């Protein structure tokens, strides 16, 4: 079996991969849902848009469920603390997600304009709200979350729901929303044609511009206005989990330290910028599949930037920095990480292979002619 510190680092990478996979796979259908009321001007156009993601949106939820399960299994202290502190925010995400299954299933049951319009806006809520809240959550992580542990390692959250809605966190919410909308617009341009595709391209241009500006603004703000966290004492990577067995201090510009310490990590935010620009260029040239691939790389770059900036911190504490959770002191046991690692090596390729096959089978353009011809089977 791999040694404990190596497994801790591997699971930091694997959880990051799962979060990026969730953003890419579930993110594009959330982005499509966000664009639904605006890219579709008639009922048949909106049915075309829904049918681009309708056959596989629920399969993409596997990434969401697996990501949550991996955090629970690999980082139980992070899971418990985050779900306590972000309780109402998590409920808001779940309430928004409720609109998706019922919206997809019931939207076309009645041929009534009011009925269908209500479900269209429900699908918009289910697509737009979760990315916004996830972005706000990341913004709060970068600033530190008000919680602390007692001597028995019981966490207490001392903040409020509205305290989460601070200016920097809302800016991160804009980054997340623009990122997912951009990704969904590129995907929609790939799967449609005509007027819908033209509107999707325009949406991608605007969302890409907002993403670049907001991502840049957040980076400048983080470097110059928000203190980061630094380990001020030695920490044994092989030790059993104990967040209180270290000292942590806050320092201006600390979130930029990893880029100075490991210059190669600059490639991660650089990839985000280059991938967005490349996606827009490929989209303009008509190579929509290449644009979608670059859009996926842009998501990996944005999310990876947050991970690289914070490493080794996972959930810093603003009220008691010593209670901050890191990669080294908030994980499961050596045995648990080892068993999960080998299970992941077996089942992850199966999930990826099946997903790839499903998308290959359902590839191609969705047109108004197709929706009209399959009126009783299409969404």
């Amino acid at each position: 079996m791999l040694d404990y510190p190596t497994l801790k680092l591997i699971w930091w990478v694997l959880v990051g991969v799962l979060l990026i996979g969730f953003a890419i796979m579930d993110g594009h259908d959330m982005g499509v849902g966000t664009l639904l009321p605006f890219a579709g001007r008639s009922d048949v156009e909106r049915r075309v848009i829904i049918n681009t993601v309708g056959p596989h949106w629920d399969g993409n939820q596997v990434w969401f469920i697996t990501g949550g399960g991996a955090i629970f299994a690999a980082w139980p202290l992070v899971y418990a603390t985050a779900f306590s502190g972000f309780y109402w925010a998590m409920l808001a995400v779940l309430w928004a997600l409720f609109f998706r299954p019922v919206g997809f299933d019931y939207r076309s049951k009645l041929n009534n304009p009011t009925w269908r319009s209500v479900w269209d806006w429900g699908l918009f809520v289910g697509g737009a709200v979760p990315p916004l809240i996830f972005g706000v959550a990341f913004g709060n992580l970068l600033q530190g979350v008000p919680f602390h542990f007692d001597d028995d390692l019981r966490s207490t959250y001392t903040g409020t729901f509205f305290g989460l809605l601070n200016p920097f966190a809302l800016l991160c919410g804009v980054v997340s929303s623009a990122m997912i909308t951009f990704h969904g617009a590129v995907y929609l341009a790939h799967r449609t044609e005509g007027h819908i595709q033209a509107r999707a391209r325009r949406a991608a241009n605007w969302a890409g511009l907002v993403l670049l500006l907001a991502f840049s603004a957040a980076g400048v703000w983080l470097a110059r206005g928000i203190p980061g966290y630094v380990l001020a004492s030695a920490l044994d990577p092989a030790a059993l989990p104990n967040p209180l067995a270290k000292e942590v201090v806050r320092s201006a510009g600390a979130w930029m330290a990893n880029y100075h310490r490991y210059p190669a990590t600059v490639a991660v935010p650089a990839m985000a910028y280059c991938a967005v620009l490349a996606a827009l260029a490929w989209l303009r040239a008509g190579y929509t599949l290449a644009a979608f691939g670059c859009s996926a790389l842009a998501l990996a770059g944005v999310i990876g930037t947050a991970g690289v900036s914070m490493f080794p911190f996972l959930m810093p504490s603003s009220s008691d920095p010593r209670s901050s959770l890191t990669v080294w002191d908030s994980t499961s046991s050596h045995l648990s990480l080892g068993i999960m690692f080998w299970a992941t090596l077996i089942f992850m390729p199966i999930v990826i292979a099946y997903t790839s096959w499903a998308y290959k089978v359902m590839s191609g353009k969705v047109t108004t002619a197709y929706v009209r011809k399959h009126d009783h089977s299409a969404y």
Side-chain angles (χ1 to χ4, degrees):
M1 182 180 290
L2 297 171
D3 62 82
Y4 202 14
T6 300
L7 281 171
K8 290 178 179 180
L9 187 59
I10 287 174
W11 271 101
W12 177 77
V13 174
L14 287 177
V15 172
V17 169
L18 288 171
L19 293 178
I20 291 171
F22 164 61
I24 292 172
M25 300 306 298
D26 216 13
H28 73 260
D29 56 57
M30 286 186 180
V32 168
T34 302
L35 293 170
L36 176 62
F38 312 105
R41 302 292 173 82
S42 64
D43 178 65
V44 69
E45 287 186 346
R46 292 183 179 182
R47 291 190 69 191
V48 167
I49 293 171
I50 291 172
N51 274 272
T52 62
V53 296
H56 55 71
W57 73 269
D58 47 353
N60 292 335
Q61 296 292 108
V62 169
W63 292 91
F64 180 48
I65 297 169
T66 305
I71 293 174
F72 169 77
W75 302 334
L77 288 177
V78 175
Y79 184 92
T81 306
F83 273 74
S84 297
F86 298 152
Y87 182 77
W88 289 108
M90 295 295 183
L91 281 182
V93 170
L94 291 177
W95 290 334
L97 290 175
F98 289 159
F99 285 103
R100 303 183 76 206
V102 290
F104 283 116
D105 286 343
Y106 289 103
R107 191 262 179 197
S108 294
K109 295 295 185 183
L110 297 179
N111 189 11
N112 179 284
T114 302
W115 170 270
R116 293 187 173 186
S117 178
V118 168
W119 287 118
D120 289 341
W121 285 103
L123 289 172
F124 165 80
V125 170
V129 171
L132 176 64
I133 294 178
F134 289 142
V136 170
F138 265 97
N140 280 280
L141 288 178
L142 288 164
Q143 295 174 94
V145 180
F147 71 93
H148 64 272
F149 288 101
D150 62 18
D151 292 337
D152 295 319
L153 294 185
R154 292 175 298 190
S155 64
T156 301
Y157 178 76
T158 56
T160 64
F161 172 77
F162 292 103
L164 300 175
L165 305 178
N166 55 79
F168 178 76
L170 292 174
L171 175 61
C172 292
V174 172
V175 173
S176 179
S177 295
M179 176 179 73
I180 295 303
T181 303
F182 172 70
H183 193 49
V186 174
Y187 178 80
L188 193 59
H190 175 61
R191 294 297 309 278
T192 60
E193 58 186 20
H195 295 300
I196 300 175
Q197 186 184 65
R199 295 181 198 121
R201 286 179 173 176
R202 287 196 294 270
N205 289 333
W206 282 107
L209 176 62
V210 172
L211 172 58
L212 292 176
L213 292 176
F215 185 56
S216 300
V220 172
W221 196 342
L222 199 63
R224 298 186 177 182
I226 297 177
Y229 290 74
V230 179
L231 290 171
S233 64
L235 194 155
D236 182 7
L240 294 175
N242 182 8
L244 300 180
K246 65 179 182 301
E247 294 295 330
V248 177
V249 296
R250 302 194 69 178
S251 174
W255 287 145
M256 300 294 125
N258 283 336
Y259 299 106
H260 297 290
R261 190 177 296 114
Y262 310 106
T265 56
V266 175
V268 179
M271 180 175 69
Y273 285 103
C274 294
V276 171
L277 295 175
L280 293 174
W282 284 121
L283 203 58
R284 183 180 294 273
Y287 296 97
T288 54
L289 183 58
F292 182 72
C294 289
S295 175
L297 288 176
L299 268 64
V302 172
I303 298 172
T305 297
V308 169
S309 299
M310 292 180 61
F311 184 85
F313 290 91
L314 301 174
M315 191 172 183
S317 170
S318 58
S319 57
D320 178 26
R322 188 177 63 138
S323 295
S324 298
L325 298 172
T326 74
V327 172
W328 311 119
D329 59 14
S330 59
T331 60
S332 291
S333 68
H334 189 183
L335 179 61
S336 297
L337 294 183
I339 293 174
M340 291 190 301
F341 171 70
W342 292 111
T344 301
L345 287 185
I346 295 172
F347 291 106
M348 180 72 79
I350 295 174
V351 171
I352 293 175
Y354 172 76
T355 302
S356 301
W357 173 81
Y359 270 83
K360 182 178 180 180
V361 170
M362 294 181 287
S363 62
K365 301 287 186 180
V366 180
T367 65
T368 55
Y370 170 85
V371 170
R372 289 192 175 101
K373 182 179 179 180
H374 302 85
D375 184 64
H376 295 291
S377 58
Y379 284 87

